[in-house]
Amino acid sequence: MEPTAAALATEPAAEPPAAAPRDGLRRKLGWLTLFRVVTVTVLLAGTIVVNLELGPVIERDLLPLYAVVAATYLVALATALALRAGRGLTSLAYAQVVLDVLVATAVVAVTGYSASVFVVIFSIGVVNGAILLFRRGALFAAALAVPAYLAVALRVDPHGADVSRTTLLVHAASFVAVAILSSYLAEQLRSAGERIVAQEGALAEITALHESIVASLTSGLMTLDLAGKVTYLNPAGELLTGLRLEEVRGRPATERFGAFRAATPRGEVEWTGPSGRPLRLGYSAFPLRGPAAAAIGSAVIFQDLTALREMENAVQRSRRLADLGRVAAGLAHELRNPLAAMSGSLELLQTNAALPPDERRLMDIVLREAARLDGLVNDLLEYTRPAPLRRVRTDLSVVLDEALRVFANDPTAARVTVEQDLSPVTVACDPDQTRQVFWNLLVNAAQAAAAREGGAGRVRVACGPDVKGARLVVEDDGPGIPAADLPRIFLPFFTTKRNGTGLGLPTVQRVVDAHRGSVTVDSSPGRGTRFVVLLPREGADGGGVGVPG
């Protein structure tokens, strides 16, 4: 499954149909030449053994056999050179058939004519013809072998041996029978080879189509064997997970993909890859079956649902914000008039010089709480009905530096150490709303650091360029946020502070969303908290209101 469509496209084009038979004939000529050399070598060894045993008495009779061996070696060398050139292979094949018949004739003549035990070499030559040229080669070899054998067998034997007509007929018939049988087998072999080639071509096309489809999937695809080890991860899966096939192939899926539970065919999981970025993955698992429905493994198709879920959350926040805005508008209308009347009346009563001190102190408390309630109404209205964005080219480091100068006069600043690393970075943003984002994060961080046991809390502020725009970091070494509270910190009115309103971080989320940016938090109890805000270099539009979507 490894090759992709792109890889197949870059491979050399398949050879033309005529090339395969030519290469096959060349291969067969090479093997037959090697076989002939081996056979003649064995014959040469036997001849030498006989010569050594019988001595000079038979040496003259063996000279023709030595000549046949030498000639065969020379022809084998010539054949090898011709094969190297690669031209005229069919003519060379016919020449090989003729050579086989001539060698058989010479060997039979040297070793006893009709009484020779090497008559079978004629049959070997016929088989070689069938191997090289199929039916034509077998019949051609038989047509040469029969008269060549008869010519040798009918020659007067110098030793006076007689040969019967039956022996001649049987040998000649055997040559013809071998030709018929070998040609039939050769034709069957050729037909089977052609069918195999056709099936291989069809299989290659199906395989290429399959690999092209798998490689074109926009979803990740992973296959596992019966032992639960990864066998394949498609290119989309590699891109999505940041893992390469070579890294995970042959490894247990539980090492990297343990969140995909085979017992749950469909589901969503939180998955963290090598980059450390958490993803929300939706997956479907199903078994893979081979012939006879036998289980051969399983497969998992998965998609990145992170952006979709973030969009759904943004839509839900917008809906909640709209509902909250309607409630806030009505609440502000119902509360502000009574608050104004109460505050005005109390201020008028405070002008009475004869007012006792206890009553004056109680009026001060009521006025202060009325002012706090009016501030809460204003915060609520500001959150639910934000001002339109007015994006301008702004150096974020300048905005943050100004906010830090103002924060230096805050009572909380005296209890913490503020470290800053501000690099110039220009983005299209609303300076006032961006300053509000930073201020909310800075105040939260300072309050958390000041609550650290032993005091001497630390707050670090940094900003600088990012791949898509600007990166703002605010972190503290305070007590951290409990894991159970992390999913709720951006919800309106959720707060763990005694006098908090629960609108600071939701306001940060709302402003960042309006800028088409993102805000993430990394925190754990005892290890502090780190907020990271990413703002795009250019806004998605030229302006717009603060409510996203």
Side-chain angles (χ1 to χ4, degrees), residues 429-466:
C429 67
D430 185 315
D432 295 332
Q433 296 196 35
T434 303
R435 185 180 293 105
Q436 183 65 40
V437 167
F438 175 62
W439 183 265
N440 290 353
L441 294 177
L442 180 60
V443 169
N444 283 351
Q447 292 174 351
R452 181 187 181 199
E453 293 184 5
R458 182 182 62 86
V459 174
R460 179 178 177 272
V461 178
C463 75
D466 185 70

Side-chain angles (χ1 to χ4, degrees), residues 331-349:
L331 184 63
H333 177 73
E334 295 297 329
L335 291 180
R336 272 187 163 173
N337 289 337
L339 281 174
M342 289 168 54
S343 299
S345 300
L346 289 171
E347 290 173 356
L348 183 60
L349 288 174

Side-chain angles (χ1 to χ4, degrees), residues 103-290:
V103 170
T105 302
V107 171
V108 169
V110 171
T111 57
Y113 298 98
S114 61
S116 174
V117 296
F118 293 103
V119 174
V120 70
I121 295 180
F122 283 107
S123 296
I124 295 175
V126 173
V127 172
N128 288 347
I131 292 174
L132 291 174
L133 299 167
F134 303 102
R135 179 178 287 116
R136 289 181 302 165
L139 297 178
F140 177 70
L144 294 178
V146 171
Y149 167 72
L150 293 177
V152 173
L154 293 175
R155 181 178 176 182
V156 178
D157 191 341
H159 301 287
D162 294 331
V163 57
S164 66
R165 293 182 179 180
T166 302
T167 301
L168 295 176
L169 182 61
V170 168
H171 285 167
S174 67
F175 300 158
V176 175
V178 168
I180 295 174
L181 180 60
S182 60
S183 64
Y184 172 76
L185 294 177
E187 289 298 328
Q188 291 296 313
L189 181 62
R190 177 164 66 174
S191 178
E194 291 174 351
R195 288 195 300 270
I196 291 174
V197 170
Q199 290 175 356
E200 287 178 346
L203 180 61
E205 292 179 0
I206 294 173
T207 302
L209 177 61
H210 164 73
E211 291 170 350
S212 177
I213 292 173
V214 171
S216 300
L217 288 176
T218 56
S219 300
L221 173 63
M222 178 177 62
T223 60
L224 314 174
D225 59 16
L226 292 174
K229 296 182 179 180
V230 178
T231 58
Y232 179 70
L233 182 66
N234 73 334
E238 292 181 323
L239 183 63
L240 195 156
T241 62
L243 298 171
R244 294 183 300 171
L245 175 59
E246 292 75 11
E247 298 176 20
V248 298
R249 181 164 46 193
R251 306 296 302 174
T254 52
E255 289 185 0
R256 299 293 186 93
F257 304 98
F260 296 152
R261 295 178 291 274
T264 307
R266 298 179 64 88
E268 291 187 18
V269 296
E270 293 289 342
W271 187 85
T272 303
S275 64
R277 175 173 173 260
L279 299 176
R280 187 72 179 176
L281 299 182
Y283 70 94
S284 298
F286 53 92
L288 296 177
R289 301 192 180 276

